[in-house]
Amino acid sequence: MRTVALTALAPLAWGSTYAVTTELLPADRPLLTATLRALPAGLVLLAVTRRLPSGSWWWRSAVLGTLNIGVFFALLFVAAYRLPGGVAAVLGAIQPLLAAGLAVPLLGERFGRRALLAGTVGVFGVALVVLRATARLDAIGVLAGLVGAGAMAAGTVLTKRWGRPEGVGPLALTGWQLTAGGLLLLPVAALVEGAPPALSGGNLLGYGYLAVANTALAYWVWFRGIGRLPATSVAFLGLLSPVSAAVIGWAALGQSLNAVQLLGMALALGSTLLGQRSAGRPATTVVATSGSPSTSPTATTSGSTPTASAPAAPATATLAAPTATAAPTSVPVPALALAAIREGEARGADLPQGGGPVEPVGRA
């Protein structure tokens, strides 16, 4: 629960983006804002961690940075500028449902009726909080909102599946993604919006807040949470962002909150909690390590089922047999095979401990 609470700080911080943007930043510069939010933070984290990607992590960091930062930031601001903030927030609220759907084939997480109910209630709750009767729809804005939510959902699930390299912490991984996304945004912002305007002290303060608290620190705890929680669980925490935005607007900007909005907040919070309970975990977890020289494998079933030893291996065996922890016998064989394949993939690609649905022995 402590990890959930810490990870929830990220979407709570993201809820302040609207207030900071409207009060401190220059108008009509969404791509400049996205770039200055990502690139400086990424470069600072690279300098602090002094770690660069290696091997396959060059292209993986580029993919994750594109999905989680570059594409998501750009489309988020396109949707925000072409749609009322409420409509954009509702479109973003479908992210948990998209992440839960992607987690089934990519992570082996279950997507049950409880998760579907939580996601639906969450979207409805966010709609009550942020939608207004005067809300209008714009086709490009709606498409940008949907694709942006899909990019973030895919990035969340892939971050969970790939984890991080051995010995690399979430801070370095965050720096890689922010830098990759910022470098993608930089030429686009220059081409579309031209040279940046002269910045005031308030502008610099706003950009500094977005880069440090709203991005570097927030994405650090977000990616840390992805490494320790089911991807669906993390995605449901995103529903806290529009709730946070509404509360900040009421407390700092003098905006009103009516009974319908309060009901929507309660539904969104309830959906977030239900999403934690319904987050699908892998149907099975197979853990294998190279055992000590032995002539017989040992199979252990999870839960309270006693340990059972398999028949002794032939005396002529020359290789040490692995020790395996298998799921209960009721688990289908294809599921066990899929998990075993992922374990082999993790070892072959030098994936991190606990980065995906298969975790090595000794992972807390």
Side-chain angles (χ1 to χ4, degrees):
M1 200 63 190
R2 184 189 221 166
T3 301
V4 173
L6 181 60
T7 308
L9 293 178
L12 290 175
W14 296 335
S16 65
T17 303
Y18 174 78
V20 172
T21 301
T22 56
E23 298 301 311
L24 295 176
L25 301 186
D28 300 324
R29 293 285 181 160
L31 295 179
L32 173 65
T33 298
T35 304
L36 293 181
R37 182 182 175 186
L39 188 56
L43 294 176
V44 168
L45 292 184
L46 288 184
V48 170
T49 59
R50 298 183 181 182
R51 293 294 300 267
L52 292 175
S54 61
S56 63
W57 274 97
W58 282 106
W59 68 264
R60 287 184 177 184
S61 298
V63 171
L64 295 178
T66 297
L67 292 173
N68 286 323
I69 308 300
V71 171
F72 176 67
F73 278 13
L75 294 181
L76 172 69
F77 283 110
V78 169
Y81 271 81
R82 299 186 70 98
L83 297 170
V87 177
V90 172
L91 293 174
I94 70 170
Q95 181 197 327
L97 290 173
L98 298 176
L102 290 172
V104 174
L106 294 178
L107 301 178
E109 294 183 5
R110 299 187 183 93
F111 184 27
R113 286 176 294 182
R114 183 180 292 180
L116 178 60
L117 174 63
T120 304
V121 171
V123 173
F124 182 67
V126 170
L128 292 181
V129 173
V130 298
L131 281 185
R132 301 290 182 272
T134 57
R136 69 188 189 282
L137 297 181
D138 174 87
I140 296 178
V142 170
L143 181 61
L146 292 175
V147 175
M152 187 65 173
T156 298
V157 173
L158 284 179
T159 300
K160 177 67 178 179
R161 178 174 175 84
W162 289 341
R164 58 182 185 269
E166 183 73 26
V168 173
L171 199 62
L173 181 67
T174 304
W176 297 351
Q177 295 193 43
L178 289 175
T179 302
L183 290 175
L184 173 68
L185 287 166
L186 182 61
V188 177
L191 181 64
V192 175
E193 296 179 351
L199 300 179
S200 66
N203 297 154
L204 294 175
L205 178 63
Y207 283 128
Y209 169 80
L210 289 182
V212 178
N214 200 278
T215 303
L217 295 178
Y219 272 93
W220 168 56
V221 299
W222 183 255
F223 292 139
R224 176 184 178 275
I226 292 175
R228 301 187 178 198
L229 299 168
T232 305
S233 173
V234 177
F236 269 101
L237 293 176
L239 295 173
L240 296 175
S241 183
V243 174
S244 171
V247 172
I248 292 173
W250 167 76
L253 304 180
Q255 298 174 354
S256 61
L257 286 176
N258 56 37
V260 173
Q261 289 175 296
L262 294 176
L263 173 61
M265 288 183 184
L267 291 176
L269 293 174
S271 174
T272 301
L273 294 175
L274 183 59
Q276 305 312 303
R277 298 185 59 186
S278 63
R281 296 190 181 269
T284 179
T285 300
V286 175
V287 182
T289 59
S290 298
S292 57
S294 171
T295 57
S296 62
T298 301
T300 306
T301 55
S302 61
S304 59
T305 309
T307 302
S309 295
T316 57
T318 58
L319 296 177
T323 300
T325 302
T329 54
S330 60
V331 178
V333 172
L336 291 174
L338 178 60
I341 291 172
R342 286 182 178 139
E343 172 69 9
E345 173 187 311
R347 292 188 172 194
D350 190 25
L351 293 183
Q353 297 181 8
V358 180
E359 297 186 357
V361 170
R363 179 75 164 88

